[in-house]
Amino acid sequence: MGAYILRRLALVVPTLLGIMVINFALVQFVPGGPIEQILAQMQGEGDVFAAISGSGDDATLNNSSVTTDERYLGAAGLPEEFIKELEIQFGFDKPPLERFVSMIWNYMRFDFGESYFRSISVLELVAEKLPVSITLGLWSTLIAYLVSIPLGIHKAVRDGSRFDTWTSGAIIVGYAIPGFLFAILLLVLFAGGSYLKLFPLRGLVSDNYEELSLIGKIADYFWHIALPVVATTISAFATLTLLTKNSFLDEIKKQYVMTARAKGLTERRVLYGHVFRNAMLIVIAGFPGLFVAVFFGSSVIIETIFSLDGLGRLGFEAAVARDYPVVFGTLYVFGLLGLVVGIISDLTYVWIDPRIDFETRET
């Protein structure tokens, strides 16, 4: 098993490098970099997108030679020296290849630099936003597994019953409702909209959180995260529940289950002593995808609706502002985390079923 883990760890490097190369190359062709953002703000346009969609091309597109005005929208009338100082400040005075190599070398040492516009290191910024994303991802995944697996098993045992029918209908309806729409519905119904005011509208904790007792802090924390976690989890129930049910149904029909029953084993012993271990393999295989999807997938919308300042919102704002150190730093961390979770999933396979041996498979 040790050799397999080493091979997987060795593949992390080229995979992560490929992700960074593709995204870095794409960024080179995206209009409206950080310099354009600053120039647009200096011209009173708010952001670079107003300059791109505006009529500021009269003075620049008529020139035959490539000038600073042509390279940077909104640069007309500004000194060339000022533009060059901005390029040096952001590192754009160097060729792209040199910038990429320097960035990867720093990232290998977990040096992600400093945000262009916030005067704070990327690591400090990520650490500041991380509790929100951990809260949504961890609790949503945990609740999804704790509810969906027992529900899926119960549906498999009572396949075709009325319970199986109405629960299937309920979870499919929940899956069909977009997460952001369900989040808005929760706000309207339970957070002071048109009906009840049982939960807070925004934030991870209350303003007086530090003054509360330990029990009060725990209660306040769960009070704030209840609606965001429910809104994030609802779509995961359908996939995981039906996956568990179908996996158990497939195992229950196999010969070894009939043999176990013929030996006089109780139904509970057959189900949880024999079927469970084999049926759960495919469920565990979907854990990395579910975890990463819940952790990062819908967090931007959910964090925005509930006014939570997490990694999803940070990444979106950084992409809009062209804050490249934050964009690439979070991309690197997310990519590395996803690859590591994949390895952990394989190790969980072996822990659940020792018959699986990754060492003997052909590579």
Side-chain angles (χ1 to χ4, degrees):
M1 192 63 188
Y4 171 76
I5 296 175
L6 290 177
R7 287 198 303 269
R8 288 294 303 272
L9 290 174
L11 287 174
V12 168
V13 176
T15 303
L16 197 58
L17 182 62
I19 294 173
M20 299 303 296
V21 167
I22 293 173
N23 285 273
F24 186 86
L26 290 174
V27 162
Q28 307 309 307
F29 301 98
V30 175
I35 293 180
E36 286 92 335
Q37 291 282 354
I38 293 178
L39 297 177
Q41 293 175 6
M42 293 179 62
Q43 298 293 337
E45 295 170 349
D47 58 53
V48 71
F49 302 106
I52 293 175
S53 60
S55 58
D57 54 352
D58 296 340
T60 60
L61 298 182
N62 293 329
N63 296 331
S64 57
S65 60
V66 178
T67 65
T68 301
D69 292 352
E70 288 180 324
R71 286 186 289 117
Y72 301 112
L73 293 173
L78 294 176
E80 182 80 18
E81 294 75 14
F82 175 73
I83 304 298
K84 290 183 178 180
E85 288 179 4
L86 288 179
E87 289 181 338
I88 295 173
Q89 178 182 347
F90 292 119
F92 294 136
D93 57 321
K94 302 174 183 177
L97 181 59
E98 183 179 345
R99 285 189 281 124
F100 177 76
V101 172
S102 176
M103 180 185 72
I104 292 299
W105 171 245
N106 291 331
Y107 283 10
M108 290 173 61
R109 297 175 290 138
F110 288 91
D111 177 10
F112 300 108
E114 187 175 285
S115 169
Y116 283 159
F117 305 110
R118 305 195 188 204
S119 299
I120 183 175
S121 72
V122 174
L123 279 179
E124 292 178 9
L125 196 57
V126 170
E128 179 184 321
K129 315 296 183 183
L130 196 57
V132 171
S133 295
I134 288 179
T135 293
L136 293 179
L138 180 63
W139 288 112
S140 297
T141 305
L142 182 62
I143 292 174
Y145 270 80
L146 289 178
V147 174
S148 297
I149 291 178
L151 180 59
I153 295 174
H154 200 52
K155 285 171 64 63
V157 173
R158 302 181 61 181
D159 182 40
S161 65
R162 294 179 62 183
F163 170 81
D164 180 39
T165 302
W166 72 259
T167 53
S168 295
I171 62 176
I172 290 175
V173 169
Y175 181 77
I177 300 176
F180 75 90
L181 186 60
F182 191 74
I184 295 173
L185 179 64
L186 292 177
L187 285 179
V188 171
L189 293 178
F190 304 112
S194 303
Y195 297 92
L196 304 175
K197 190 175 182 180
L198 301 178
F199 297 93
L201 277 171
R202 59 179 60 87
L204 198 59
V205 293
S206 300
D207 294 336
N208 63 336
Y209 178 78
E210 296 298 333
E211 303 173 4
L212 300 175
S213 63
L214 178 59
I215 296 178
K217 289 181 178 179
I218 295 174
D220 182 76
Y221 170 74
F222 283 106
W223 182 47
H224 278 77
I225 69 171
L227 295 186
V229 168
V230 170
T232 306
T233 310
I234 193 68
S235 62
F237 282 137
T239 303
L240 192 55
T241 300
L242 295 179
L243 180 65
T244 303
K245 174 192 172 183
N246 294 333
S247 180
F248 266 76
L249 284 176
D250 184 59
E251 290 295 324
I252 288 174
K253 297 175 183 178
K254 291 185 177 179
Q255 183 65 39
Y256 74 89
V257 176
M258 299 176 62
T259 303
R261 287 171 175 166
K263 290 181 178 179
L265 296 180
T266 63
E267 190 66 21
R268 184 178 182 84
R269 179 71 181 275
V270 171
L271 191 63
Y272 292 99
H274 296 273
V275 176
F276 183 83
R277 185 174 62 182
N278 295 326
M280 287 304 296
L281 289 176
I282 190 171
V283 177
I284 292 173
F287 173 78
L290 177 64
F291 178 79
V292 173
V294 170
F295 201 86
F296 306 120
S298 59
S299 60
V300 177
I301 299 176
I302 300 300
E303 288 173 11
T304 301
I305 292 176
F306 290 99
S307 299
L308 299 173
D309 199 8
L311 289 179
R313 193 172 176 180
L314 170 67
F316 173 74
E317 293 176 350
V320 171
R322 302 298 192 264
D323 196 346
Y324 292 149
V326 177
V327 172
F328 289 119
T330 53
L331 178 66
Y332 183 87
V333 173
F334 293 170
L336 181 61
L337 180 62
L339 293 171
V340 171
V341 168
I343 298 176
I344 294 175
S345 177
D346 287 347
L347 296 180
T348 310
Y349 261 123
V350 178
W351 177 67
I352 293 259
D353 189 351
R355 295 173 301 174
I356 296 177
D357 186 5
F358 290 107
E359 293 282 2
T360 58
R361 73 175 188 175
E362 295 183 0
T363 58

